[in-house]
Amino acid sequence: MPTKNVYFFKVSLFSYTPKVERPIGELKKIFNDIFIKNSQNDSIRLSSDNIDTVILDIIENEEEYLFAHLSKRRLNNTLQKRDYNTFTIDDVLSVDEVKSKGIELFTYCILWYNNGVLAVVNSKGAPSGNALNRIFELYNKEYYLEILPVPNIDLIRELYDSTESRIKRIRVEVPSPDPIILEQALNTKERDLIDSVCNNTQSVIFTINPQLKGDLSHDSKIIKRMIDVFRKNRHKYNSITLYGKAGSRCKQVGYDLFEEHFKYPIDITEYYQDNNHKVEYPKEHIQADYRDKMMRVYVEFKDIIDSFCDRVQNE
């Protein structure tokens, strides 16, 4: 069950002549006109060449939202096909097939039309959310999009300012740890062992857990001081994540103190076990899993995301 991070963005629509911001409610009609005229089999090209081909695959285009793939072509010679009965290797595509077909990496995105909120699943090698701007670059040069990431500071502020905050656990990553830290972590004073591990250690990650099912702290003043101390000594850490709740937040949240942009993890079920064999779920099942979980994250953090987008009134 892979874990993917969902990032959120504020999408604003601008016209070139005059150069002003347009109401975000106009975006759906403009997109629909472009899709009708230029899409084929619910897909539209977002690149002008056949080498670094980028495609938008429209999965659902509803009144409220657009749910789609952002796909990017990958070179055929970077992948291979194998028969696991014989271990023989073959090209995924033949030389002739490469002329008209390709292999792609893709990720999922959701654009809510009414308030211009964009959610994109981070996936290595796939296009980013900025690829949506190519729709206008290629098909309607009267407009362009400004796509800004939702910052993480408002989520941290939620924990910092709450009088009902609680911390369940803390995850810390320390770079180039001092030998004393390793000595305590490994519970040994054998110098040759400590030196050997220390010389090959880039960082140390440890988690601080409470006793049984309690909290590390539910004192808002202590939590605020804790955040202040961690921030003051930021240069000493690679990352610090506080797991807990703030105010009326229903679920436990990971508050990454040093992450610049707001993100949230989702777990995707891609297969099930049948007689000790992995059986992949069909594409439609996985797509629905992505869509539903991305939407749940948005609903859970709608107050923070919409506040940054300055469009609370459009709910």
Side-chain angles (χ1 to χ4, degrees):
M1 181 184 294
T3 298
K4 302 284 188 177
N5 284 317
V6 182
Y7 287 82
F8 286 84
F9 302 83
K10 173 185 177 181
V11 175
S12 300
L13 175 67
F14 287 84
S15 61
Y16 278 108
T17 308
K19 196 167 186 178
V20 295
E21 182 174 0
R22 305 297 305 167
I24 195 64
E26 296 179 4
L27 182 58
K28 177 176 174 57
K29 183 180 184 306
I30 299 172
F31 266 14
N32 282 349
D33 290 343
I34 293 173
F35 295 158
I36 291 171
K37 294 176 183 177
N38 301 281
S39 66
Q40 184 177 2
N41 293 319
D42 292 326
S43 297
I44 183 169
R45 181 186 290 270
L46 301 186
S47 57
S48 56
D49 60 65
N50 289 323
I51 300 175
D52 292 323
T53 305
V54 176
I55 302 285
L56 177 74
D57 300 309
I58 302 166
I59 303 172
E60 297 174 4
N61 190 18
E62 305 293 341
E63 187 64 31
E64 299 83 10
Y65 66 87
L66 168 69
F67 176 48
H69 282 158
L70 282 169
S71 308
K72 185 176 182 180
R73 186 174 189 170
R74 187 166 180 175
L75 293 177
N76 188 49
N77 58 16
T78 63
L79 297 171
Q80 64 186 20
K81 180 171 62 176
R82 185 188 299 274
D83 184 330
Y84 287 111
N85 292 320
T86 63
F87 286 174
T88 54
I89 297 172
D90 198 358
D91 292 332
V92 177
L93 298 175
S94 68
V95 175
D96 290 335
E97 285 180 311
V98 171
K99 296 177 182 178
S100 61
K101 299 179 181 179
I103 305 157
E104 297 179 339
L105 293 172
F106 65 87
T107 191
Y108 292 91
C109 67
I110 300 178
L111 173 64
W112 282 269
Y113 285 122
N114 67 322
N115 54 11
V117 171
L118 173 66
V120 180
V121 176
N122 186 44
S123 185
K124 186 176 181 180
S128 69
N130 287 320
L132 290 180
N133 230 331
R134 299 185 183 186
I135 296 176
F136 290 119
E137 292 173 5
L138 293 172
Y139 305 108
N140 189 333
K141 297 184 184 299
E142 295 181 15
Y143 301 94
Y144 67 94
L145 297 177
E146 179 185 74
I147 302 176
L148 301 176
V150 174
N152 196 45
I153 185 66
D154 288 340
L155 184 66
I156 304 303
R157 188 180 294 119
E158 170 187 88
L159 180 67
Y160 190 86
D161 292 341
S162 175
T163 57
E164 300 177 5
S165 55
R166 57 183 62 237
I167 297 297
K168 292 286 187 180
R169 60 189 173 96
I170 303 174
R171 180 186 182 277
V172 181
E173 181 177 352
V174 182
S176 303
D178 188 282
I180 296 177
I181 295 179
L182 288 177
E183 182 179 307
Q184 294 174 341
L186 299 174
N187 195 26
T188 181
K189 294 181 182 259
E190 295 187 32
R191 183 49 49 191
D192 58 340
L193 176 60
I194 297 297
D195 290 343
S196 176
V197 173
C198 190
N199 291 335
N200 292 286
T201 300
Q202 181 179 1
S203 64
V204 168
I205 300 173
F206 59 91
T207 301
I208 305 171
N209 294 307
Q211 293 182 350
L212 299 178
K213 295 183 179 181
D215 299 324
L216 283 177
S217 178
H218 52 260
D219 186 326
S220 60
K221 293 181 180 179
I222 293 296
I223 293 173
K224 186 174 292 189
R225 285 172 54 196
M226 190 185 302
I227 294 173
D228 287 338
V229 169
F230 285 146
R231 282 176 165 172
K232 181 179 179 180
N233 296 294
R234 177 172 182 168
H235 62 283
K236 297 181 180 179
Y237 310 102
N238 282 349
S239 68
I240 292 181
T241 304
L242 309 180
Y243 293 89
K245 299 179 181 179
S248 60
R249 188 72 63 196
C250 298
K251 297 180 180 179
Q252 180 173 290
V253 176
Y255 296 88
D256 190 332
L257 297 187
F258 305 149
E259 173 65 40
E260 183 179 1
H261 301 140
F262 175 76
K263 66 178 181 182
Y264 196 82
I266 57 174
D267 294 322
I268 301 299
T269 305
E270 296 181 337
Y271 63 88
Y272 62 94
Q273 294 282 351
D274 184 19
N275 293 326
N276 295 321
H277 292 285
K278 290 182 180 179
V279 181
E280 296 182 7
Y281 280 113
K283 178 180 64 176
E284 293 75 15
H285 176 96
I286 296 175
Q287 288 178 170
D289 201 21
Y290 270 100
R291 179 199 60 208
D292 295 347
K293 288 177 179 176
M294 292 168 72
M295 287 185 168
R296 284 177 204 158
V297 174
Y298 175 50
V299 170
E300 175 70 19
F301 297 96
K302 196 174 192 298
D303 52 345
I304 290 176
I305 296 168
D306 283 358
S307 176
F308 172 74
C309 294
D310 298 324
R311 292 166 185 150
V312 179
Q313 69 274 14
N314 290 336
E315 291 182 359

